[in-house]
Amino acid sequence: MSLFWCLSDCCNAGVKTALLDAHSDMGSTEILEKETSENLSNGTSSNVEAAKRLAKRLYQLDRFKRSDVAKHLGKNNEFSKLVAQEYLKFFDFTGMTLDQSLRYFFKAFSLVGETQERERVLIHFSNRYFYCNPDTIASQDGVHCLTCAMMLLNTDLHGHNIGKKMTCQEFIANLQGVNEGGDFSKDLLKALYNSIKNEKLEWAVDDEEKKKTSSEGTDEKANGTHPKSISRIGSTTNPFLDIPRDPNAAVYKSGFLARKIHADMDGKKTPRGKRGWKTFYAVLKGTVLYLQKDEYKPEKALSEEDLKNAVSVHHALASKATDYEKKPNVLKLKTADWRVLLFQAQSPEEMQGWINKINCVAAVFSAPPFPAAIGSQKKFSRPLLPATTTKLSQEEQLKSHESKLKQITTELAEHRSYPPDKKVKAKEIDEYKLKEHYLEFEKTRYETYVSILNEGGQKLLNNSESEAAGLKKSHSSPSLNPDSSPVTAKVKRNVSERKDHRPETPSIKQKVT
């Protein structure tokens, strides 16, 4: 089995560049001059010795902070790999369970940095755990699979996501067939699930950051304001799905919207008591749609409730809710984790304006997805969609979207050319339908993104006079009466709430990719 997530090939940065990068982060010219003269030879042994010295200093926090460690372990070059291997040698996981080892590992440093960097750190951890416990789990890939599964479970159980939390049975079901084509021990998975449920995963933070957060929280509590230290939406314990909140991000649209939660993560139907319409002041700031009870004020700190209601629009798709007939001017937003939310605007123009802006933000800023997990070929799982902002230029972003569109179109055609036999089990038919629905949705999403970037992308976002080409000027709604009566006198059944609107089976939960 391949690694749980496929990453880009290592870059060919030379040892000299790696060393210069490493030491420049120390901020010490004296150390840089001394050690580069010793270590920049062509011999491999010299590179290993340099990696050992840096690893030891990172472990002992010798002129390094905890937040400095991960960036030296997770860089995509050979020297960083050597440093990581030497650093992990300071940890002996022999006889420890996987969850105990991960908690022990996280006490040493802060798992910060880009998504890919954090992923590489976890790969090094998985390799070290397998070395210390070769008879516990079948392979290094199996260890890494479970490590990532625990990280995602941690967010599901302890994050701010809306809806039902993952059960132990769902956790076990999601990991079927990914242990070298077989299953992990149910007793092992139950133990890992209960460990994460009873105590969330957290990593160390710098002492200065602790004091700063504590001080800010005390001062602002005394002033009757909300702490400003919250910097991420969701859970700060997940390195892959947390949504960065940039206070300096541009505001692309704002106004009152009524919201109805139709489906939770993975399209699971929201419980009836939580589906009611609520009115918010919506602000599309960067890649996040903030939903606040009061009108937006830049100087006002966001409350915990504001962050819970916030929705990331990365890899999302907004469209007119043509299958919802109880209220007029309703748009449907499907998020990266397949939540479905309905929003009612005050006018058709306002609704279209929100659709255009949301899709434009998603098209311009969504980072390329990681491949899906590789395991049992019969079990379909969606790829991981990172919440980080893309590093590509607009031209590169367009090529990326076009490539994905071509890939999805081909995959959909191949998928349809091999329909399941009528005699197969119902579960396999459900898997086939789920994958087909996913491919259809992705095809529509990337078609929309490509169209937007071909029309200008970033220019459309910065154009305050027009929501999109061919549309009239649209202003934010000054108010929205949530009790307003629908335009249609005769209320028809909400077609969007029928079963075929959500093809996912009730047993399908977020794939622990």
Side-chain angles (χ1 to χ4, degrees), residues 4-5 122 145-159 161 166 171 196 201 235 237-242 265 384 510-513:
F4 202 68
W5 279 313
L122 292 183
C145 171
L146 288 180
T147 301
C148 294
M150 285 193 294
M151 298 297 288
L152 292 175
L153 175 66
N154 193 56
T155 289
D156 189 274
L157 296 181
H158 301 290
N161 54 296
M166 187 184 296
F171 180 66
I196 303 302
L201 289 171
S235 168
T237 54
N238 187 290
F240 307 113
L241 303 181
D242 281 359
M265 191 166 55
L384 183 73
Q510 173 84 10
K511 300 297 181 293
V512 280
T513 48

Side-chain angles (χ1 to χ4, degrees), residues 250-252 357 360-361 364-365 394 456-467:
V251 174
Y252 298 112
K357 285 294 186 185
C360 198
V361 167
V364 171
F365 297 117
Q394 185 160 313
Q458 187 70 52
K459 291 182 180 179
L460 295 178
L461 277 179
N462 297 332
N463 186 0
S464 60
E465 295 300 315
S466 173
E467 298 297 348

Side-chain angles (χ1 to χ4, degrees), residues 51-224:
K52 285 181 178 180
R53 283 196 295 274
L54 180 55
K56 184 177 181 180
R57 293 186 54 213
L58 289 171
Y59 180 74
Q60 295 177 343
L61 297 177
D62 178 10
R63 283 176 283 181
F64 284 102
K65 296 187 296 183
R66 287 185 172 87
S67 56
D68 294 329
V69 177
K71 59 186 175 184
H72 290 291
L73 306 183
K75 290 180 181 178
N76 199 11
N77 59 60
E78 293 302 324
F79 183 72
S80 183
K81 287 182 181 180
L82 288 174
V83 173
Q85 290 168 5
E86 295 300 325
Y87 181 83
L88 264 296
K89 289 180 181 179
F90 288 101
F91 297 85
D92 185 5
F93 302 128
T94 304
M96 299 173 66
T97 61
L98 185 58
D99 57 301
Q100 290 172 342
S101 300
L102 194 58
R103 295 184 195 280
Y104 171 43
F105 185 54
F106 282 164
K107 286 181 180 179
F109 69 102
S110 299
L111 189 58
V112 295
E114 295 294 330
T115 302
Q116 297 91 333
E117 293 174 347
R118 301 184 189 193
E119 161 70 4
R120 294 183 196 111
V121 173
L122 292 183
I123 290 176
H124 293 303
F125 162 80
S126 301
N127 292 343
R128 178 61 178 173
Y129 181 85
F130 182 76
Y131 176 84
C132 294
N133 301 278
D135 300 324
T136 305
I137 298 172
S139 67
Q140 293 177 352
D141 289 351
V143 175
H144 188 51
C145 171
L146 288 180
T147 301
C148 294
M150 285 193 294
M151 298 297 288
L152 292 175
L153 175 66
N154 193 56
T155 289
D156 189 274
L157 296 181
H158 301 290
H160 295 318
N161 54 296
I162 302 170
K164 183 181 176 184
K165 303 295 185 182
M166 187 184 296
T167 65
C168 184
Q169 290 74 19
E170 289 170 329
F171 180 66
I172 293 173
N174 285 335
L175 285 167
Q176 288 180 347
V178 296
N179 184 22
E180 296 294 324
D183 296 338
F184 292 105
S185 162
K186 287 189 177 181
D187 289 338
L188 170 63
L189 296 183
K190 287 179 182 178
L192 294 178
Y193 177 90
N194 289 326
S195 173
I196 303 302
K197 181 180 180 181
N198 295 332
E199 182 185 358
K200 70 177 181 178
L201 289 171
E202 294 183 290
W203 46 74
V205 295
D206 294 319
D207 294 335
E208 297 84 356
E209 190 64 28
K210 282 183 181 178
K211 293 178 182 178
K212 180 181 177 182
T213 301
S214 175
S215 174
E216 287 181 353
T218 303
D219 294 343
E220 291 174 351
K221 187 174 182 180
N223 296 332

Side-chain angles (χ1 to χ4, degrees), residues 333-504:
L333 176 63
K334 194 166 186 176
T335 63
D337 58 3
W338 278 35
R339 284 188 292 156
V340 179
L341 302 100
L342 303 179
F343 292 97
Q344 184 192 21
Q346 194 176 21
S347 66
E349 293 78 16
E350 186 71 7
M351 175 195 70
Q352 191 60 51
W354 279 106
I355 291 173
N356 293 332
K357 285 294 186 185
I358 290 172
N359 288 340
C360 198
V361 167
V364 171
F365 297 117
S366 294
F370 294 126
I374 302 173
S376 170
Q377 296 303 309
K378 292 182 179 180
K379 192 170 183 64
F380 167 69
S381 59
R382 304 195 304 270
L384 183 73
L385 302 175
T388 50
T389 303
T390 183
K391 305 296 184 184
L392 303 178
S393 65
Q394 185 160 313
E395 182 180 353
E396 292 170 333
Q397 183 80 335
L398 174 58
K399 289 180 180 179
S400 174
H401 290 332
E402 288 175 335
S403 175
K404 287 298 298 181
L405 176 58
K406 184 178 180 180
Q407 174 192 332
I408 292 291
T409 302
T410 302
E411 195 172 346
L412 179 59
E414 292 176 351
H415 181 73
R416 286 173 170 168
S417 64
Y418 295 101
D421 191 282
K422 294 181 180 179
K423 297 180 181 180
V424 300
K425 296 179 180 179
K427 186 177 180 181
E428 291 185 30
I429 295 177
D430 288 340
E431 287 289 321
Y432 177 87
K433 290 181 178 178
L434 172 59
K435 185 173 182 180
E436 182 176 43
H437 179 74
Y438 160 76
L439 292 172
E440 288 173 344
F441 175 76
E442 289 295 276
K443 184 173 181 289
T444 301
R445 183 166 73 88
Y446 280 108
E447 283 174 344
T448 302
Y449 290 179
V450 168
S451 176
I452 288 172
L453 292 187
N454 278 325
E455 291 177 8
Q458 187 70 52
K459 291 182 180 179
L460 295 178
L461 277 179
N462 297 332
N463 186 0
S464 60
E465 295 300 315
S466 173
E467 298 297 348
L471 290 179
K472 295 180 180 179
K473 181 178 179 180
S474 174
H475 299 279
S476 297
S477 169
S479 65
L480 181 66
N481 183 1
D483 301 320
S484 60
S485 302
V487 173
T488 54
K490 183 179 180 181
V491 178
K492 298 181 181 181
R493 183 186 176 193
N494 180 6
V495 182
S496 68
E497 294 179 0
R498 293 175 186 168
K499 186 176 180 180
D500 59 359
H501 180 73
R502 180 178 55 84
E504 295 90 338

